[in-house]
Amino acid sequence: MSRTEQELRQLYASTRGMPTGAAKFAVLEEVIRHADALGLVEFAFDVRMSATSVFQHSWAPEKAFLTFSWCLAAYDREPHRFGSGHEHTLLWQFKWMAYSVYQYPEIPLQRGTDLLEDMERRYRRGGHSMHAVLQNRGEAAQFTGEVERAQAYYEEMALTRRDALSDCAGCVPSSQVQSLVALGRDEEAIRIGESAVRSGCTEQPQLIYSELLLPFVRSGLGERAVEAHRAAYRRIRDNPHHLGELALNLLFCVHSGNLVRGLDLIERHLSWLDRPRTPLTEMEFAAAAVAVLSRSQEQNGGDGGAVLRFPTVEGKRRPDTSVAELAVELRERALGIAERFDARNGNSYQSTRIRDWMDTGAIGEPLPLSVFERAVNSRSGERLQRLLEQVADRTAAGDLVAAARNRVAVAEVLLADEQYAEAAEAAEEAVRELDRIGLTADAAACRWVLARAYRMDGPGGSGIRVLRELLDSDPWGREAQDGAPAASPEALQRLQPPSLLPARPELEAALGRWLGYGPEAAGWSLAAARGFAAAGREEEALAALGEALARHPDADAEPTDGVLADLLGETGAVLGRLFGEAGSPGRVGERGPTGLAGPADPAVSPTVVVLIAYAEHLQAIGRLEEAAERLRTACSLLDAHPDTEAAGRRSTVLTDLGEALLRLGDVAAAEEFARAALALLDPDDAWEEIVLLGKVLRARGADEELAKLLTEHGLELEDLDD
């Protein structure tokens, strides 16, 4: 199917709000393909430049090789066509290519050497510093096993002038720390690394902290190692881009004697190997996982029969596997990739390094990592301590069910005390234990605690992921109510959600809020509204409808958009039940809404919010008369039920109503509402009201009055244009 240029530009714009993943990649590649077919060279160039960044910062940097190469060749042919600003971006992206190319054993070394030579030539030609070039040469030497040479490049780089093409103050030390660790120079690694953890870079502090885990442990700095692991994992737990850093955190679990934690991380993240960022990070994660699995098997007297259970990810679930079976599988995978690197590099550096990883063990005394084993400061000191003791006592007594439920209670207390990182860790452990025991309902309730803890502790992606999984699992048993075979009494006891888990509409409403803005967020809020309405919770249903309307971007949506069409239809039906199909608008200034078909005293606050949002959507798609009817109803409601927020809401309603009437051609009525809205507010806070009045004056040709209004409020005539 062919597309027009306008359609392509709209499709490209839609990718800006899409999460990184296969869907976004597919849309970008579709836009590029059609742009090439239409001969839109400049547009295709811009899309590819953007796509290079998207691919590089995902788990698919190999896709960036193609987009970057195309842009570089196009720029070299016609630099005047694209502008000098693009040259800087291309030189910056050169660093990404030089970094990535060595992580694929199928790419010959000469290709990497040529790329570095070309990079240096272009940097010198542009009068740029060699700082970034030396850093990339050091990274290349590190990847190919020339560790001492790598360090020599870093030392030369330290004496070289930085410029606008240098990496940030966090990423430069991060790459240097890697070679220092390989050389066993832990003290230097710690000194250089710790000074850069607060660089503000989006890649930090997780990269540096992950690299510093081994130096901390080898130097006897256990507390700093624990905090580094906790800080790093919080930033990488929901992003497959950080597969390599996750491998270092797995090794830390071995070094620190936290094998249970390591097994938990393997269960949680093994699916990342389905689409590894590069062969290098695939090899490292597999090797680090082997270290955890092998030491766990040894700790259990050689018994590797313990079963690992993996979560469902994107509709797929890996079959349960024993520790021993997975160790064999991943060992073969890691060594196979290492041998490919050795063949390419002409040495045995990678296979030796990976064997050392797989054979590594604990270093020094075990470090307490679990929130149930170390001291935690909390406002609920005595209560928390009592719960922690109960976890320990019941675990020792073999009462695993009671211990797991006490873990949930600990997570709740920590969450209430705003100890979000600790609450997340406690809930993670509790969920794992509840899943293994088979307490389905308790695990579902604990996942709600975990989702909220994740939400408050750093980036919100993890909380959204857990909440999606919880809703998909349907712990309320809707499927069973819809005709599925009846469960046994024992199964029902396990499936019945405890009171800790809210009703489904409440979680749907929460997910809508967490997603923020867009059709998906609106869809979840709409689902919540339907659920509340079915349960007879009318006020909450209205509030959820208001949120759904506020979250849907009407400006870029077609009226036929599935979510928007459903949303407008459902909102119209609800308002019709409340106020009658015609809206029974009443007149501004009359007391009370007339002709109510629903309750005599509806919940004013959520109802007015819904009326305003609904009217805004109706205006956006040209249904102006209906919008005006609903806004008149909102005015009447506010007249009949004044509250502390009535003035602000009333001014919004009056302004929107005036805008609708102006577009309908009723200039006199529009002026009445514009002046009424303006009278409610301080002129300094009434930009929209003043602009509306200006439009009205322009529409009726009151040029002198309009000029005075513009002068008084510092406006230009262009400010009146939409």
Side-chain angles (χ1 to χ4, degrees), residues 565-643:
D566 288 349
L567 181 54
L568 294 180
E570 193 134 346
T571 305
V574 170
L575 294 175
R577 289 196 299 271
L578 280 174
F579 302 105
E581 294 304 324
S584 300
R587 293 294 300 170
V588 176
E590 292 182 359
R591 298 301 298 176
T594 60
L596 286 176
D601 186 16
V604 176
S605 181
T607 304
V608 171
V609 170
V610 170
L611 285 164
I612 294 172
Y614 182 53
E616 288 175 351
H617 279 279
L618 292 176
Q619 288 196 67
I621 60 176
R623 291 162 60 178
L624 300 176
E625 292 183 358
E626 294 173 76
E629 292 290 336
R630 294 309 181 190
L631 290 168
R632 288 183 186 277
T633 302
C635 281
S636 298
L637 270 178
L638 290 172
D639 274 348
H641 305 276
D643 59 33

Side-chain angles (χ1 to χ4, degrees), residues 408-696:
V408 180
V410 169
E412 289 182 84
V413 168
L414 290 168
L415 182 61
D417 286 350
E418 300 179 2
Q419 301 285 101
Y420 302 124
E422 290 78 7
E425 292 172 18
E428 287 170 353
E429 290 199 35
V431 165
R432 183 184 67 240
E433 292 302 314
L434 292 164
D435 281 343
R436 287 177 179 168
I437 295 169
L439 292 176
T440 309
D442 292 84
C446 191
R447 280 186 167 85
W448 172 231
V449 179
L450 179 60
R452 287 178 290 153
Y454 277 160
R455 175 71 177 169
M456 301 303 295
D457 178 40
S462 295
I464 289 172
R465 171 180 54 79
V466 172
L467 186 49
R468 284 188 201 277
E469 292 169 356
L470 180 55
L471 286 162
D472 288 344
S473 71
D474 189 39
W476 303 270
R478 286 199 317 182
E479 288 85 350
Q481 295 169 14
D482 293 339
S488 66
E490 180 182 359
L492 284 174
Q493 185 177 5
R494 290 175 178 270
L495 289 169
Q496 183 61 39
S499 58
L500 179 64
L501 183 65
R504 183 181 184 92
E506 294 176 50
L507 298 193
E508 291 171 332
L511 184 53
R513 289 192 295 271
W514 291 6
L515 287 168
Y517 187 68
E520 186 184 6
W524 282 108
S525 296
L526 176 57
R530 289 168 173 162
F532 285 133
R537 298 162 66 175
E538 290 292 342
E539 185 171 346
E540 289 160 291
L542 273 171
L545 273 179
E547 289 188 353
L549 290 162
R551 295 182 195 292
H552 200 292
D554 54 39
D556 298 323
E558 295 293 330
T560 54
D561 174 295
V563 173
L564 183 58
D566 288 349
L567 181 54
L568 294 180
E570 193 134 346
T571 305
V574 170
L575 294 175
R577 289 196 299 271
L578 280 174
F579 302 105
E581 294 304 324
S584 300
R587 293 294 300 170
V588 176
E590 292 182 359
R591 298 301 298 176
T594 60
L596 286 176
D601 186 16
V604 176
S605 181
T607 304
V608 171
V609 170
V610 170
L611 285 164
I612 294 172
Y614 182 53
E616 288 175 351
H617 279 279
L618 292 176
Q619 288 196 67
I621 60 176
R623 291 162 60 178
L624 300 176
E625 292 183 358
E626 294 173 76
E629 292 290 336
R630 294 309 181 190
L631 290 168
R632 288 183 186 277
T633 302
C635 281
S636 298
L637 270 178
L638 290 172
D639 274 348
H641 305 276
D643 59 33
T644 55
E645 300 179 8
R649 284 208 179 102
R650 186 174 171 79
S651 67
T652 298
V653 172
L654 292 171
T655 303
D656 287 351
L657 181 53
E659 189 77 45
L661 292 171
L662 180 62
R663 291 174 63 186
L664 285 167
D666 191 345
V667 178
E671 182 170 357
E672 174 190 350
F673 292 121
R675 293 188 183 280
L678 190 54
L680 293 171
L681 301 174
D682 185 313
D684 292 337
D685 300 322
W687 171 270
E688 293 182 2
E689 290 74 12
I690 293 168
V691 167
L692 174 59
L693 181 57
K695 291 178 181 179
V696 168

Side-chain angles (χ1 to χ4, degrees), residues 307-310 317-322 325:
V307 175
L308 300 178
R309 295 180 171 86
F310 305 99
R317 183 178 180 273
R318 182 188 174 106
D320 296 344
T321 309
S322 74
E325 290 170 340

Side-chain angles (χ1 to χ4, degrees), residues 8 92 283 309 395 420 535 605:
L8 282 183
W92 186 275
M283 173 185 70
R309 295 180 171 86
T395 301
Y420 302 124
S605 181

Side-chain angles (χ1 to χ4, degrees), residues 115-134:
L115 187 65
L116 283 169
E117 292 296 330
D118 190 18
M119 177 181 177
E120 180 170 341
R121 183 167 53 252
R122 291 172 186 271
Y123 273 52
R124 289 191 183 281
R125 186 175 64 198
H128 305 292
S129 169
M130 290 295 101
H131 190 274
V133 175
L134 289 167

Side-chain angles (χ1 to χ4, degrees), residues 342-393:
D342 288 351
R344 195 271 308 267
N345 297 339
N347 58 37
S348 61
Y349 173 74
Q350 291 293 0
S351 60
T352 300
R353 182 173 74 98
I354 290 308
R355 288 183 189 276
D356 288 343
W357 276 31
M358 292 189 293
D359 294 338
T360 195
I363 300 174
E365 295 297 316
L367 297 173
L369 185 58
S370 168
V371 71
F372 299 100
E373 298 172 349
R374 54 188 170 81
V376 176
N377 294 322
S378 174
R379 293 196 298 265
S380 303
E382 290 185 10
R383 182 186 176 201
L384 179 62
Q385 187 58 39
R386 191 163 56 250
L387 286 169
L388 291 171
E389 290 172 358
Q390 289 172 358
V391 171
D393 292 344

